[in-house]
Amino acid sequence: MKLRHAAEVRSKSFLNPEFVSLARKHGIAIVFSESDTYPPIADVTADFVYLRLQRTSKDVATGYTAEALEQWAANAKTWAAGGAPSDLPTFGDETAVKEPRDVFALMISGAKIRAPHAAMALIERL
Protein backbone atom coordinates (compact mmCIF):
# COMPACT_ATOMS: atom_id res chain seq x y z
CA MET A 1 0.00 0.00 0.00
CA LYS A 2 1.33 3.38 -1.02
CA LEU A 3 1.52 6.08 1.65
CA ARG A 4 0.29 9.45 0.41
CA HIS A 5 0.42 12.83 2.08
CA ALA A 6 -1.81 15.91 2.08
CA ALA A 7 -1.28 19.32 3.67
CA GLU A 8 -4.14 21.53 4.79
CA VAL A 9 -2.87 25.07 5.08
CA ARG A 10 -4.60 27.67 7.18
CA SER A 11 -2.82 30.87 6.29
CA LYS A 12 -3.02 33.08 3.22
CA SER A 13 0.78 33.15 3.24
CA PHE A 14 0.63 29.81 1.35
CA LEU A 15 -1.16 31.39 -1.62
CA ASN A 16 1.96 31.54 -3.78
CA PRO A 17 3.70 29.63 -6.58
CA GLU A 18 6.66 28.63 -4.40
CA PHE A 19 4.48 26.67 -1.99
CA VAL A 20 2.61 24.96 -4.83
CA SER A 21 5.88 24.07 -6.56
CA LEU A 22 7.32 22.61 -3.35
CA ALA A 23 4.21 20.48 -2.73
CA ARG A 24 4.25 19.27 -6.36
CA LYS A 25 7.98 18.44 -6.19
CA HIS A 26 7.33 16.13 -3.23
CA GLY A 27 3.97 14.77 -4.42
CA ILE A 28 2.06 16.22 -1.48
CA ALA A 29 -1.56 17.09 -2.18
CA ILE A 30 -2.72 20.50 -1.07
CA VAL A 31 -6.10 20.09 0.58
CA PHE A 32 -8.73 22.20 -1.13
CA SER A 33 -10.75 23.77 1.68
CA GLU A 34 -14.10 25.27 0.86
CA SER A 35 -14.29 27.32 4.00
CA ASP A 36 -15.05 30.77 5.32
CA THR A 37 -11.80 30.62 7.30
CA TYR A 38 -9.10 28.81 5.34
CA PRO A 39 -7.64 29.74 1.95
CA PRO A 40 -8.72 27.68 -1.09
CA ILE A 41 -5.92 26.28 -3.26
CA ALA A 42 -7.04 24.12 -6.19
CA ASP A 43 -3.61 23.36 -7.67
CA VAL A 44 -3.12 19.64 -8.35
CA THR A 45 0.19 18.66 -6.77
CA ALA A 46 -0.10 14.89 -6.27
CA ASP A 47 -1.67 11.77 -7.74
CA PHE A 48 -4.85 12.48 -5.76
CA VAL A 49 -7.05 15.41 -4.77
CA TYR A 50 -8.46 15.92 -1.28
CA LEU A 51 -11.43 18.23 -0.70
CA ARG A 52 -12.78 19.48 2.62
CA LEU A 53 -16.19 20.92 1.87
CA GLN A 54 -17.17 22.96 4.91
CA ARG A 55 -20.19 25.01 3.94
CA THR A 56 -23.16 22.79 4.66
CA SER A 57 -26.32 24.66 5.60
CA LYS A 58 -28.83 23.53 8.20
CA ASP A 59 -31.60 25.11 6.10
CA VAL A 60 -30.93 22.78 3.14
CA ALA A 61 -31.97 19.13 3.58
CA THR A 62 -28.94 17.90 1.63
CA GLY A 63 -26.56 20.38 3.27
CA TYR A 64 -25.71 21.95 -0.09
CA THR A 65 -28.06 23.18 -2.79
CA ALA A 66 -28.62 20.96 -5.80
CA GLU A 67 -26.65 23.44 -7.91
CA ALA A 68 -23.67 23.39 -5.56
CA LEU A 69 -23.70 19.59 -5.43
CA GLU A 70 -23.83 19.41 -9.23
CA GLN A 71 -20.82 21.74 -9.42
CA TRP A 72 -18.81 19.74 -6.87
CA ALA A 73 -19.66 16.52 -8.70
CA ALA A 74 -18.51 18.06 -11.99
CA ASN A 75 -15.29 19.27 -10.34
CA ALA A 76 -14.64 15.82 -8.86
CA LYS A 77 -15.18 14.16 -12.24
CA THR A 78 -12.80 16.64 -13.89
CA TRP A 79 -10.10 15.97 -11.30
CA ALA A 80 -10.64 12.20 -11.49
CA ALA A 81 -10.21 12.29 -15.28
CA GLY A 82 -6.87 14.08 -14.94
CA GLY A 83 -8.04 17.63 -15.48
CA ALA A 84 -8.48 20.62 -13.24
CA PRO A 85 -11.59 22.79 -12.83
CA SER A 86 -11.04 26.19 -14.43
CA ASP A 87 -13.20 28.14 -11.98
CA LEU A 88 -11.24 27.46 -8.77
CA PRO A 89 -8.24 29.48 -7.53
CA THR A 90 -4.77 28.21 -8.41
CA PHE A 91 -1.41 29.78 -7.63
CA GLY A 92 1.20 27.56 -9.26
CA ASP A 93 2.87 28.22 -12.55
CA GLU A 94 3.37 24.60 -13.54
CA THR A 95 0.96 22.35 -15.40
CA ALA A 96 -0.16 19.27 -13.51
CA VAL A 97 0.25 15.81 -15.03
CA LYS A 98 -2.88 14.94 -16.98
CA GLU A 99 -3.47 11.45 -15.62
CA PRO A 100 -6.53 9.97 -13.90
CA ARG A 101 -6.37 10.36 -10.15
CA ASP A 102 -8.26 9.54 -6.98
CA VAL A 103 -10.49 12.23 -5.50
CA PHE A 104 -11.42 12.23 -1.83
CA ALA A 105 -14.14 14.56 -0.56
CA LEU A 106 -14.99 15.11 3.08
CA MET A 107 -18.11 16.99 4.13
CA ILE A 108 -17.35 18.58 7.47
CA SER A 109 -18.08 21.69 9.52
CA GLY A 110 -20.81 24.09 8.58
CA ALA A 111 -24.07 22.50 9.74
CA LYS A 112 -22.54 19.20 10.82
CA ILE A 113 -25.94 17.55 11.14
CA ARG A 114 -26.29 17.90 7.35
CA ALA A 115 -22.83 16.56 6.44
CA PRO A 116 -23.93 12.91 5.97
CA HIS A 117 -26.83 14.05 3.77
CA ALA A 118 -24.47 16.23 1.72
CA ALA A 119 -22.04 13.34 1.25
CA MET A 120 -24.79 10.96 0.13
CA ALA A 121 -26.23 13.56 -2.25
CA LEU A 122 -22.79 14.10 -3.77
CA ILE A 123 -22.24 10.35 -4.17
CA GLU A 124 -25.57 10.07 -6.02
CA ARG A 125 -24.31 12.62 -8.54
CA LEU A 126 -21.03 10.83 -9.09
Side-chain angles (χ1 to χ4, degrees):
M1 177 184 209
K2 181 179 176 181
L3 183 62
R4 300 191 277 189
H5 300 279
E8 181 179 19
V9 299
R10 297 189 171 197
S11 169
K12 290 182 180 180
S13 65
F14 289 96
L15 303 178
N16 65 68
E18 293 84 11
F19 170 65
V20 172
S21 180
L22 185 63
R24 186 171 286 130
K25 176 182 175 182
H26 295 285
I28 298 171
I30 300 172
V31 176
F32 180 87
S33 295
E34 187 207 26
S35 165
D36 295 327
T37 308
Y38 309 126
I41 303 173
D43 292 90
V44 177
T45 56
D47 62 352
F48 70 103
V49 173
Y50 185 159
L51 313 171
R52 289 177 58 90
L53 305 178
Q54 303 177 55
R55 289 190 177 147
T56 52
S57 171
K58 67 178 180 166
D59 298 328
V60 179
T62 55
Y64 276 83
T65 64
E67 296 80 18
L69 289 165
E70 290 294 336
Q71 186 60 56
W72 283 118
N75 290 344
K77 289 174 184 177
T78 298
W79 275 311
S86 61
D87 62 335
L88 297 175
T90 58
F91 301 90
D93 55 3
E94 300 172 38
T95 303
V97 176
K98 304 289 185 189
E99 294 180 9
R101 61 182 69 92
D102 292 328
V103 179
F104 301 95
L106 177 65
M107 303 289 195
I108 190 165
S109 287
K112 291 182 182 183
I113 192 76
R114 298 290 188 207
H117 303 286
M120 290 185 289
L122 181 60
I123 289 168
E124 287 175 7
R125 287 162 170 80
L126 294 171

